Amino acid sequence: MALHRAVGCDTDGCLALYLAAPRLGADAAQAAAVRAGWTVTAGGLTNRCPSCNRGGLPVLERGDCPVCTGSTFDGQNGEQCHHCGHVTPYPEPDVYDDEDQEHDGEQLHTAEADR
């Protein structure tokens, strides 16, 4: 298991974390968090997640959000975070998977017809 550097929100009661890529150093992890919408003051003395930074509710429940590790729900365009609003798009359907399923069905029908 790889170790990740994390940036945590300093708001009381907020459980938000930004998990950086495994090989990033502390400064690079903070820079990546800023690019994701976090506010990091000089030297990393205080950190605020996107939700707390805009005056929203703190992250109280962990989930799958890549920006704040908050809980998500199925939205129209993808999984949307309850807290920071980040949308993770649904994966594009793989055209080859659909063809394989069609062929599997054809093989099943021909096997039944042979009996």
Side-chain angles (χ1 to χ4, degrees), residues 29-68:
Q30 288 179 343
V34 168
R35 282 193 303 274
W38 285 66
T39 301
V40 178
T41 60
L45 296 175
T46 57
N47 306 315
R48 290 197 178 259
C49 70
S51 181
C52 292
N53 189 38
R54 70 170 188 268
L57 295 175
V59 175
L60 301 175
E61 182 179 341
R62 292 256 172 87
D64 296 326
C65 178
V67 173
C68 69

Side-chain angles (χ1 to χ4, degrees), residues 3 12 14 18 21 34 38 55-56 62-63 66 70 83-85 93 108 111-113:
L3 294 176
D12 288 338
C14 185
Y18 177 80
V34 168
W38 285 66
R62 292 256 172 87
H83 307 282
C84 70
L108 180 65
E112 289 175 1

Side-chain angles (χ1 to χ4, degrees), residues 24-103:
L24 289 181
D27 292 337
Q30 288 179 343
V34 168
R35 282 193 303 274
W38 285 66
T39 301
V40 178
T41 60
L45 296 175
T46 57
N47 306 315
R48 290 197 178 259
C49 70
S51 181
C52 292
N53 189 38
R54 70 170 188 268
L57 295 175
V59 175
L60 301 175
E61 182 179 341
R62 292 256 172 87
D64 296 326
C65 178
V67 173
C68 69
T69 65
S71 59
T72 58
F73 64 94
D74 289 330
Q76 183 177 3
N77 299 322
E79 288 188 13
Q80 186 169 357
C81 180
H82 285 112
H83 307 282
C84 70
H86 176 78
V87 176
T88 303
Y90 294 122
E92 293 291 324
D94 190 4
V95 288
Y96 299 112
D97 285 344
D98 292 338
E99 288 178 7
D100 291 341
Q101 290 173 359
E102 290 174 9
H103 292 300

